[in-house]
């Protein structure tokens, strides 16, 4: 399947809703999370770092808001982890996709294929063993997408990063879905 088709499927419904207003879809082994669309989504986007699990042998951190909404649907998603081969998301959906990929790996030791468009930074100090969860994850960001730049001192751990055209300076406009669509068409054809 082309990157353009994957992106179009990632940003389109229909969606199931569970937990703290989380929209997701599981179909044919593909788990997809919807981007920020509601006021409650925005409230979770602007939170800070926390430890994601209790009694961690080695502490690392994740974005508190994304962890909260992911944990609100985790019990619904977890029974299907064995059948998941791919995880996708755009914007907040990409953050939830990262958490799902790490959780699937932690639970099953499988590394599903991942596609994270307009990808926020979710983890801080992730141990090497956990980074293996992202061996099959591709991050797709536009050059000036400010959402993908915060925090700026963050170290990347993804296996593949695709940089689409955009501004050379940080811009909220470079995070818009249409900018991603045009960048994918420009760089990847179809």
């Amino acid at each position: 399947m082309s990157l353009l088709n994957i992106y179009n499927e990632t940003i389109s419904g229909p969606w199931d809703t569970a937990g703290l207003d989380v929209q997701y879809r599981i179909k044919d082994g593909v788990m997809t999370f919807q981007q920020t669309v509601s006021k409650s989504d925005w409230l979770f986007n602007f939170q800070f770092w926390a430890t994601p699990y209790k009694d961690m042998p080695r502490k690392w951190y994740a974005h508190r808001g994304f962890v909260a909404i992911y944990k609100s649907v985790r019990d619904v998603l977890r029974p299907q982890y064995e059948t998941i081969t791919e995880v996708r998301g755009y914007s907040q959906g990409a953050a939830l996709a990262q958490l799902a990929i790490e959780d699937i790996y932690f639970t099953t030791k499988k590394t599903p294929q991942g596609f994270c468009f307009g990808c926020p930074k979710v983890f801080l100090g992730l141990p090497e063993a956990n980074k293996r969860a992202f061996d099959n994850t591709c991050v797709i960001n536009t050059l000036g997408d400010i959402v993908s730049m915060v925090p700026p001192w963050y170290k990347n751990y993804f296996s593949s990063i695709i940089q689409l055209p955009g501004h050379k300076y940080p811009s909220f406009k470079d995070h818009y879905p249409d900018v991603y669509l045009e960048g994918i068409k420009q760089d990847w054809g179809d």
Side-chain angles (χ1 to χ4, degrees):
M1 179 178 288
S2 74
L3 188 60
L4 181 60
N5 288 339
I6 290 169
Y7 178 73
N8 284 329
E9 285 185 11
T10 300
I11 61 170
S12 304
W15 305 103
D16 294 318
T17 301
L20 296 171
D21 195 30
V22 177
Q23 284 74 41
Y24 70 95
R25 173 180 60 242
I26 298 175
K27 182 180 177 187
D28 300 327
V30 178
M31 180 185 293
T32 307
F33 294 95
Q34 187 183 36
Q35 64 272 18
T36 301
V37 293
S38 69
K39 191 182 290 186
S40 68
D41 289 344
W42 281 106
L43 293 173
F44 286 103
N45 287 354
F46 290 104
Q47 294 186 18
F48 299 97
W49 304 101
T51 54
Y53 306 110
K54 294 179 183 175
D55 304 324
M56 296 169 64
R58 180 172 182 264
K59 283 198 182 208
W60 50 275
Y61 299 90
H63 183 283
R64 180 186 312 272
F66 299 145
V67 169
I69 56 178
Y70 181 75
K71 282 186 172 182
S72 78
V73 294
R74 186 177 188 226
D75 290 342
V76 174
L77 304 175
R78 202 167 194 196
Q80 301 181 66
Y81 282 0
E82 286 293 336
T83 63
I84 300 300
T85 58
E86 190 172 303
V87 183
R88 303 175 183 169
Y90 165 72
S91 191
Q92 184 185 80
L96 297 175
Q98 290 177 67
L99 289 162
I101 291 166
E102 193 277 333
D103 198 26
I104 290 168
Y105 178 75
F106 181 79
T107 305
T108 68
K109 295 300 179 215
K110 289 179 13 180
T111 55
Q113 177 71 53
F115 292 96
C116 297
F117 298 90
C119 194
K121 297 174 181 177
V122 175
F123 302 106
L124 179 65
L126 196 65
E128 286 300 318
N130 296 62
K131 291 177 186 176
R132 294 184 55 216
F134 301 99
D135 284 351
N136 297 317
T137 299
C138 181
V139 170
I140 303 95
N141 291 327
T142 58
L143 180 60
D145 185 350
I146 197 165
V147 171
S148 67
M149 297 178 185
V150 179
W153 36 261
Y154 174 81
K155 186 179 177 196
N156 200 329
Y157 51 85
F158 296 107
S159 60
S160 174
I161 298 175
I162 296 172
Q163 190 78 62
L164 299 174
H167 295 96
K168 292 181 181 171
Y169 53 87
S171 168
F172 284 106
K173 291 180 180 179
D174 283 325
H175 188 67
Y176 292 167
D178 292 347
V179 173
Y180 275 83
L181 182 62
E182 289 307 311
I184 292 168
K185 284 180 181 177
Q186 191 176 356
D187 278 11
W188 295 86
D190 274 353

